[in-house]
């Protein structure tokens, strides 16, 4: 088990950038695939991006490709999400997740057993 804590959310204008961090406790972080999901008000939680245990493979939902970049530093037990060219439709609570999952389940909430409490990202002029 790992405990996860997100940070870095806030209020920005369209076109601006934010960098989210997800700090993990425990020394088993490198054994987990990790991901970012988001949940807008009144909507279901949706997949944003995932990264393999070693960081060698990354996966994105179509709407954020070319704008968002997921990365991780296993030595620091931390995952990041660099979000550029933010749009109002990116407004949501962003959650980080970790799981000993397989590739076919990386985009599904059921693929993860550990979740953070979320950080609010609001994109508005």
């Amino acid at each position: 088990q790992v405990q996860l804590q997100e940070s870095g959310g806030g209020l920005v204008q369209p076109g601006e950038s934010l960098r989210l961090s997800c700090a993990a406790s425990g020394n088993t972080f490198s054994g987990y695939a990790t991901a970012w999901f988001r949940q807008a008000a009144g909507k279901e939680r949706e997949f944003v991006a995932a990264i393999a245990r070693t960081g060698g493979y990354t996966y994105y939902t179509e709407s954020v490709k070319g704008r968002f970049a997921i990365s991780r530093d296993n030595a620091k037990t931390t995952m990041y999400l660099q979000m550029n060219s933010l749009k109002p439709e990116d407004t949501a609570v962003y959650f980080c997740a970790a799981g000993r999952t397989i590739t076919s389940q990386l985009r599904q909430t059921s693929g993860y057993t550990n979740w953070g409490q979320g950080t609010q990202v609001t994109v508005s002029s």
Side-chain angles (χ1 to χ4, degrees), residues 53-67:
R53 291 174 297 171
T54 61
Y57 295 93
T58 57
Y59 309 83
Y60 297 93
T61 192
E62 194 64 34
S63 63
V64 307
K65 283 183 179 178
R67 298 190 298 123

Side-chain angles (χ1 to χ4, degrees), residues 7 9 14 21 30 37 49-50 52 56 58 75 80 86-89 109 118:
S7 62
S21 298
S30 61
F37 287 76
T58 57
Y80 306 97
L86 282 161
K87 303 177 180 180
E89 50 263 43
T109 56

Side-chain angles (χ1 to χ4, degrees), residues 44-91:
E44 293 189 353
R45 194 168 299 189
E46 66 172 1
F47 171 78
V48 177
I51 187 167
R53 291 174 297 171
T54 61
Y57 295 93
T58 57
Y59 309 83
Y60 297 93
T61 192
E62 194 64 34
S63 63
V64 307
K65 283 183 179 178
R67 298 190 298 123
F68 290 11
I70 189 172
S71 61
R72 63 189 288 165
D73 184 335
N74 286 344
K76 295 182 178 179
T77 64
T78 302
M79 177 179 64
Y80 306 97
L81 185 68
Q82 178 66 44
M83 305 186 295
N84 299 325
S85 302
L86 282 161
K87 303 177 180 180
E89 50 263 43
D90 295 318
T91 295

